[in-house]
């Protein structure tokens, strides 16, 4: 019988993976490997590496219990070839294998490496997504603007989620308008379910501590789910206790609460432990049962079948050069406080510290705090991209890059967003209580105590006036500036220059 190798990557931990479906349990061999190349192409957060390795080890055991032969290479195995392709070549020689079956990886880097490998490769589509590449390309074809909302409606029609025949339930596609409430005083949800590490996880934690202990990020306490059973329990716990309020407070931030009503399932969906459609069906059922209101259920389902699918579509449509786009020509170095949280800006310091501890920050922290700051300050988007890719446990390039290069940094020139997501301190003040605990004063528009977001906001708009002043969604901002008296404008821009100079000098602000 001819033996083929079946590659299963660390974010392909799904029993229904297309490569496994194409393979033959009796003759083919599953190859899984913890390799240095993947663990170190950016300095990943130790929690992220530990999560992936632990989940891989458990998935390999589950496959073996299910009758598969699995060749698993641990990171510290002396034979470890150090790369995915190196491991495939080694195993191919060992078994005299005729070729490799692989589900398409989520990064151009790996797709290209597999294609260049001197082995017969059968690369098949990743069917764990709702839209195929072809469907997204067909949708994008001939459109002047690739707005998520239109794509999302097609995904609602395709899946039938929250549909009443061919109409959206309750008569509206999008309830985002109801989902912008500021942070509540009391959050009656204690965050994600936390799991005590078992022996497999402990062994991985020791390995990661030893090999990646110097990377940015706190490894212990480690609380992530590492198999599908645990991930499902976490999802069910969240649906029961937090989903009803998810919509209302989706954009809120709190100084002393890291998770609010967020689901904390992106790690699990992206690695393959949870199936996106099943997750949405569970949420839809909660709505049908009267447990969750429409703004919560629709808001959540839109994130998954809308934003998540759309981001993937953009990544593959735009091609491998997407991560080097930089239309605003931003070239400032990433400030050191992105790595040590040592800044007087409370919102940034809290978000970075939480990222260090949990390998998690929620959407608005990523977009309107760290992302907003990086964009306003003109940080090189590639450096920003590498930071996000390294520090978040849910970060894989197919989803991280369109969120960072596109949505957050506008480096793609407006493919993902019709305008840059920039704001002064007023937005952060409205949506959080960070400013109450800050050294800066959010109400000060100039002067030594002025919130740096207030200063850099105008500096950004003026630097890029030519590009943005004709944008219909930004006209108001420029009109406000034009109405300011000249001495105030001068003071704002000169104070902004001081902040930027300090950043250039490597000082913390
Ligand atoms: C600058 C920036 C970088 C980001 N990088 C990543 C990343 O590397 N990986 C990642 O999965 N998400 C990324 N996101 C999207 C989003 O912030 C995370 O998916 C979310 O914070 C995960 O937390 P959660 O599971 O609690 O999400 P919830 O708020 O509970 O949302 C539910 C789910 O919706 C999906 N989702 C929500 N928003 C998005 C989005 N914009 N793109 C894709 N999926 C989305 C996720 O699967 C998430 O688990 C990024 C957003 C920004 C602004
Ligand atoms: S005052 Fe400015 S820097 Fe401080 S927390 Fe508010 S927005 Fe952030």
């Amino acid at each position: 019988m001819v033996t083929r190798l079946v590659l299963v990557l660390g974010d392909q931990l799904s029993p229904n993976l297309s490569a496994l479906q194409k393979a033959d349990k009796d003759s083919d061999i599953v190859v899984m490997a913890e390799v240095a190349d993947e663990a170190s192409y950016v300095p990943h957060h130790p929690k992220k590496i530990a999560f992936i390795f632990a989940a891989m080890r458990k998935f390999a055991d589950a496959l073996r219990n299910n009758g598969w032969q699995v060749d698993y290479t641990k990171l510290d195995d002396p034979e470890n070839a150090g790369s995915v392709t190196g491991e495939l070549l080694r195993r191919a020689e060992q078994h005299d294998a005729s070729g490799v079956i692989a589900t398409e990886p989520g990064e151009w880097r790996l797709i290209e490496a597999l294609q260049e490998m001197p082995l017969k490769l059968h690369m098949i589509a990743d069917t764990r997504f709702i839209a195929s590449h072809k469907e997204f390309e067909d949708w994008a074809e001939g459109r002047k603007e690739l707005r998520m909302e239109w794509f999302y409606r097609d995904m609602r029609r395709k899946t039938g989620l929250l549909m009443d025949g061919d109409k959206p339930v309750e008569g509206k596609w999008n309830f985002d308008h109801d989902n912008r409430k500021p942070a509540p005083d009391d959050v009656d949800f204690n965050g994600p379910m936390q799991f005590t590490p078992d022996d497999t996880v402990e062994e991985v934690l020791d390995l990661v501590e030893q090999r990646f202990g110097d990377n940015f990020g706190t490894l212990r306490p480690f609380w992530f789910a590492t198999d599908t059973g645990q991930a499902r329990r976490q999802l069910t716990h969240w649906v029961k206790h937090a989903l009803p309020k998810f919509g209302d407070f989706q954009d809120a931030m709190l100084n002393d609460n890291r998770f609010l009503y967020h689901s904390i399932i992106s790690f699990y969906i992206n690695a393959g432990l949870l199936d996106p459609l099943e997750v949405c069906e569970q949420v839809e059922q909660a709505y049908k049962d009267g447990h969750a209101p429409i703004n919560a259920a629709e808001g959540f389902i839109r994130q998954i079948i809308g934003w998540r699918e759309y981001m993937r579509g953009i990544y593959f449509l735009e091609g491998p050069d997407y991560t080097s786009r930089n239309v605003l020509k931003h070239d400032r170095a990433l400030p050191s406080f992105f790595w040590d949280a040592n800044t007087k800006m409370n919102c940034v310091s809290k978000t970075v510290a939480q990222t260090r501890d949990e390998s998690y920050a929620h959407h608005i922290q990523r977009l309107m705090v760290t992302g907003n700051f990086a964009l306003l300050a003109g940080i090189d988007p590639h450096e920003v991209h590498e930071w996000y890719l390294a520090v978040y446990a849910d970060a894989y390039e197919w989803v991280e890059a369109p969120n960072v290069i596109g949505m957050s940094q506008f480096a793609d020139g407006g493919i993902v967003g019709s305008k840059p997501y920039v704001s002064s301190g007023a937005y952060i003040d409205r949506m959080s209580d960070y400013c109450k605990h800050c050294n800066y004063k959010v109400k000060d528009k100039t002067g030594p105590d002025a919130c740096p977001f207030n200063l850099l906001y105008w500096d950004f708009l003026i630097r890029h006036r030519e590009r943005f002043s004709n944008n219909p969604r930004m006209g108001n901002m420029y009109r406000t500036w034009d109405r300011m008296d000249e001495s105030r404008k001068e003071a704002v821009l000169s104070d902004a220059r001081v902040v930027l100079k300090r950043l250039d000098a490597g000082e913390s602000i």
Side-chain angles (χ1 to χ4, degrees):
M1 234 188 298
V2 185
T3 298
R4 297 168 301 179
L5 303 180
V6 186
L7 176 65
V8 175
L9 296 167
D11 60 349
Q12 297 183 337
L13 309 179
S14 317
N16 62 351
L17 190 74
S18 56
L20 289 168
Q21 284 178 347
K22 272 272 177 314
D24 183 342
K25 247 184 217 175
D26 296 327
S27 54
D28 296 333
I29 295 170
V30 174
V31 174
M32 296 180 71
E34 301 166 4
V35 292
D37 272 12
E38 295 308 308
S40 58
Y41 67 94
V42 288
H44 298 287
H45 194 296
K47 271 199 170 81
K48 177 181 186 185
I49 303 176
F51 162 64
I52 295 174
F53 286 180
M56 283 172 73
R57 289 184 187 193
K58 290 188 176 186
F59 188 72
D61 285 344
L63 286 179
R64 283 192 194 105
N65 290 338
N66 211 358
W68 289 95
Q69 182 181 332
V70 183
D71 276 10
Y72 192 99
T73 312
K74 292 185 176 173
L75 187 73
D76 51 2
D77 185 330
E79 308 273 291
N80 192 323
S83 67
V84 170
T85 50
E87 275 297 289
L88 285 169
L89 288 168
R90 184 167 78 86
R91 298 296 188 184
E93 202 177 302
Q94 246 173 35
H95 298 288
D96 196 18
S98 67
V100 177
I101 309 177
T103 293
E104 182 186 72
E107 295 197 3
W108 287 111
R109 182 184 58 83
L110 256 185
I111 294 176
E112 286 164 3
L114 289 181
Q115 282 166 341
E116 282 162 18
M117 181 179 63
L119 283 175
K120 197 168 131 214
L121 173 71
H122 183 33
M123 181 136 55
I124 39 188
D126 192 340
T127 50
R128 298 171 302 166
F129 292 88
I130 289 146
S132 66
H133 295 333
K134 170 87 172 57
E135 275 175 293
F136 193 83
E137 284 159 18
D138 287 350
W139 173 79
E141 174 84 44
R143 281 175 196 264
K144 255 172 66 194
E145 290 191 325
L146 302 182
R147 292 293 153 252
M148 193 287 297
E149 180 65 24
W150 307 113
F151 170 74
Y152 163 58
R153 293 182 188 184
D154 281 0
M155 293 301 100
R156 287 273 292 277
R157 292 187 190 97
K158 178 171 180 186
T159 57
L161 286 163
L162 299 178
M163 295 297 289
D164 189 359
D166 58 357
K167 303 243 163 23
V169 294
E170 304 204 20
K172 250 175 31 174
W173 291 101
N174 185 318
F175 289 78
D176 208 20
H177 189 68
D178 302 338
N179 288 0
R180 295 182 190 141
K181 297 197 176 58
D185 288 338
D186 278 324
V187 175
D188 54 358
F189 177 59
N190 282 335
M193 198 173 237
Q194 310 217 340
F195 299 88
T196 308
D198 57 21
D199 291 349
T200 306
V201 179
E202 278 297 349
E203 192 185 308
V204 168
L205 292 179
D206 289 343
L207 174 73
V208 170
E209 191 154 49
Q210 189 201 338
R211 291 285 291 269
F212 306 100
D214 292 338
N215 287 13
F216 166 86
T218 316
L219 179 61
R220 290 186 166 94
F222 182 88
W223 51 267
F224 291 13
T226 45
D227 59 44
T228 292
Q230 292 179 338
R232 284 196 180 134
R233 278 172 60 204
Q234 144 66 5
L235 172 67
T236 301
H237 174 78
W238 172 80
V239 168
K240 189 164 171 206
H241 299 289
L243 169 64
K245 293 197 181 154
F246 169 81
D248 285 357
F249 303 115
Q250 203 180 336
D251 287 359
M253 299 176 280
L254 273 180
N255 199 57
D256 295 319
N257 191 314
R258 294 173 167 186
F259 303 109
L260 287 105
Y261 293 99
H262 290 277
S263 65
I264 330 294
I265 56 162
S266 50
F267 321 143
Y268 312 137
I269 303 195
N270 292 352
L273 302 184
L274 293 176
D275 178 78
L277 198 53
E278 279 176 24
V279 169
C280 291
E281 283 163 357
Q282 191 167 337
V283 167
E284 183 190 40
Q285 193 57 50
Y287 162 73
K288 285 184 176 162
D289 294 344
H291 173 62
I294 185 66
N295 69 309
E298 187 281 319
F300 182 83
I301 286 172
R302 174 161 25 91
Q303 305 310 313
I304 303 219
I305 68 170
W307 280 112
R308 186 171 184 271
E309 294 284 329
Y310 168 85
M311 290 302 188
R312 177 171 186 264
I314 295 287
Y315 179 75
F316 282 103
L317 188 73
E318 289 300 310
D321 79 321
Y322 189 73
T323 55
S324 45
R325 308 249 174 115
N326 186 2
V327 298
L328 300 179
K329 301 198 170 27
H330 282 173
D331 59 3
R332 186 159 278 114
L334 191 74
S336 56
F337 53 75
F338 273 73
W339 297 109
D340 61 17
N342 184 12
T343 161
K344 289 191 328 184
M345 294 182 288
N346 183 48
C347 54
V348 176
S349 173
K350 281 281 171 170
T351 301
V352 173
Q354 160 178 345
T355 301
R356 179 194 61 215
D357 294 348
E358 312 291 7
S359 198
Y360 175 83
H362 58 75
H363 189 70
I364 295 299
Q365 294 174 304
R366 297 188 206 197
L367 186 63
M368 298 313 291
V369 178
T370 40
N372 187 14
F373 182 85
L375 178 56
L376 294 179
I379 310 297
D380 178 344
H382 195 75
E383 282 199 38
V384 182
H385 150 69
E386 292 202 325
W387 183 80
Y388 277 93
L389 191 57
V391 303
Y392 291 114
D394 56 20
Y396 302 89
E397 206 175 85
W398 65 265
V399 57
E400 172 277 332
N403 269 298
V404 174
I405 296 287
M407 181 186 270
S408 161
Q409 299 302 296
F410 203 82
D412 67 359
I415 295 169
V416 168
S418 56
K419 76 172 188 50
Y421 280 91
V422 284
S423 80
S424 67
Y427 175 86
I428 296 173
D429 191 33
R430 190 164 66 248
M431 299 311 294
S432 79
D433 60 350
Y434 285 138
C435 304
K436 287 192 189 119
H437 304 269
C438 189
N439 298 287
Y440 291 107
K441 296 199 173 105
V442 72
K443 301 280 184 241
D444 284 12
K445 310 293 184 222
T446 56
D449 293 334
C451 163
F453 283 84
N454 291 346
L455 302 169
L456 297 179
Y457 173 72
W458 290 119
D459 188 74
F460 171 89
L461 288 177
I462 298 316
R463 263 189 351 257
H464 296 295
R465 182 161 196 153
E466 206 177 317
R467 179 180 291 273
F468 294 127
S469 59
N470 290 328
N471 183 320
R473 298 184 62 201
M474 297 176 76
N476 263 342
M477 304 169 178
Y478 285 100
R479 280 191 288 279
T480 306
W481 174 259
D482 290 340
R483 279 197 303 269
M484 270 186 219
D485 68 53
E486 288 305 317
S487 61
R488 176 131 179 239
K489 285 184 192 167
E490 258 169 49
V492 170
L493 295 183
S494 119
D495 285 356
R497 272 195 299 276
V498 172
V499 171
L500 293 174
K501 266 204 180 131
R502 289 182 59 194
L503 289 179
D504 289 340
E507 288 175 34
S508 182
I509 56 166

